[in-house]
């Protein structure tokens, strides 16, 4: 650090301010940035994942898929 008559040089102080702002920005940035929010899976996507993992049988998958599709159709028909 360079001292000139007991004071920091002007550029030295500016760099400290820049670093403090940069570090504050990194650590205090909001964690729920709108474009990075995780979208929840649709019920059909969850069903497909469960079938892929082997948690449910093909019959259960088909039956549940039909129920979900009829629920979706009934929701879209209502004004």
């Amino acid at each position: 650090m360079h001292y000139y008559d007991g004071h920091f040089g002007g550029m030295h102080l500016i760099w400290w301010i820049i670093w403090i702002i940069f570090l504050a920005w990194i650590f205090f940035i909001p964690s729920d940035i709108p474009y990075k929010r995780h979208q929840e899976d649709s019920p059909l996507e969850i069903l497909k994942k469960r079938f892929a993992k082997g948690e449910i049988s093909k019959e259960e998958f088909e039956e549940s898929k039909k129920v979900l599709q009829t629920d979706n159709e009934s929701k879209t028909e209502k004004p």
Side-chain angles (χ1 to χ4, degrees):
M1 293 192 281
H2 298 285
Y3 292 98
Y4 298 103
D5 296 327
H7 300 288
F8 286 114
M11 194 63 186
H12 184 75
L13 182 61
I14 291 172
W15 279 112
W16 272 107
I17 292 170
I18 290 172
W19 276 110
I20 290 170
I21 291 171
F22 180 70
L23 291 173
W25 178 68
I26 289 173
F27 289 109
F28 298 113
I29 191 167
S31 61
D32 60 339
I33 298 173
Y35 61 86
K36 288 194 173 186
R37 286 187 183 161
H38 296 287
Q39 294 180 348
E40 292 183 19
D41 290 337
S42 68
L44 186 57
E45 290 298 319
I46 294 170
L47 186 63
K48 287 178 182 178
K49 286 179 183 179
R50 288 188 64 202
F51 178 64
K53 289 180 183 179
E55 294 176 1
I56 57 175
S57 67
K58 184 176 180 177
E59 292 80 22
E60 290 173 316
F61 173 76
E62 294 296 331
E63 182 180 328
S64 299
K65 185 177 172 183
K66 286 179 187 176
V67 170
L68 289 174
Q69 288 174 342
T70 57
D71 284 348
N72 244 0
E73 289 171 4
S74 66
K75 287 180 184 178
T76 56
E77 290 177 3
K78 291 181 182 179

